[in-house]
Amino acid sequence: MNFELSKEPIDIQSVIDKVVSRNAGAVTTFIGTVREMTKGKKTLFLIYDAYEAMAVKKLEQIGAEISERWPDATTAITHRTGKLEITDIAVVIAVSTPHRNDAYEANRYAIERIKEIVPIWKKEHWEDGEKWIGNQLETVEYPAGKPEKEDSDD
């Protein structure tokens, strides 16, 4: 399963192993981690939540989009849910292609699309409060913690 959510810490090597092939001359890996400082506020920890069934479908969609744009690419994405501490790994994206430029571009494409279309949201816990952050682009707020209605397909 190349596209999944995990409540457990992500094993980076297991994500990479899903894309390694004899025809790949490059494997790029993006590892998104929880940072302590965001916009001048000190984060204590995060909670990621997701509409799991839709999130996995959207991750698979991103893999299909990458395969259309970079036909020789193989993609694997694992995104964490639950409580994450500072420096914990939130997402791992691995992309293999015959040539490095395609692997870099496809991997960058994957993280940008995750932020655009995958229904995963987070709750920031700071020293002086907490807040559900809306979509991953932070352009829509979810005061109740989740979208009020199902987002339409992208």
Side-chain angles (χ1 to χ4, degrees):
M1 187 162 39
N2 280 17
F3 306 96
E4 61 185 351
L5 300 180
S6 175
K7 291 180 169 67
E8 303 300 322
I10 300 170
D11 176 14
I12 298 166
Q13 190 60 52
S14 72
V15 181
I16 293 170
D17 289 347
K18 294 174 183 176
V19 303
V20 171
S21 81
R22 296 176 67 87
N23 294 319
V27 176
T28 58
T29 306
F30 173 80
I31 303 166
T33 58
V34 177
R35 68 175 169 264
E36 184 172 58
M37 299 302 293
T38 300
K39 298 177 183 173
K41 293 185 98 169
K42 184 176 180 179
T43 300
L44 301 177
F45 63 92
L46 298 177
I47 295 177
Y48 279 98
D49 199 358
Y51 174 22
E52 291 191 36
M54 183 59 74
V56 171
K57 286 181 183 176
K58 292 296 186 181
L59 292 175
E60 291 169 346
Q61 177 185 328
I62 292 167
E65 291 172 2
I66 288 172
S67 292
E68 279 184 34
R69 297 180 107 182
W70 297 276
D72 296 322
T74 302
T75 305
I77 303 170
T78 301
H79 202 296
R80 182 91 186 270
T81 58
K83 183 179 178 184
L84 281 73
E85 304 291 340
I86 304 303
T87 73
D88 279 355
I89 297 169
V91 62
V92 175
I93 303 166
V95 177
S96 68
T97 62
H99 304 286
R100 70 179 175 275
N101 193 48
D102 289 345
Y104 278 120
E105 289 179 8
N107 200 307
R108 173 70 185 247
Y109 179 84
I111 189 62
E112 299 303 332
R113 288 295 283 159
I114 288 171
K115 291 182 173 285
E116 289 174 0
I117 69 168
V118 180
I120 297 173
W121 46 94
K122 66 183 175 185
K123 188 173 190 178
E124 292 256 7
H125 291 262
W126 303 294
E127 291 177 308
D128 60 348
E130 60 189 33
K131 180 180 179 184
W132 279 102
I133 305 299
N135 65 356
Q136 292 204 51
L137 291 174
E138 299 184 21
T139 57
V140 178
E141 289 194 19
Y142 301 143
K146 297 181 180 183
E148 296 295 322
K149 62 179 181 166
E150 183 63 35
D151 290 336
S152 63
D153 285 346
D154 195 60

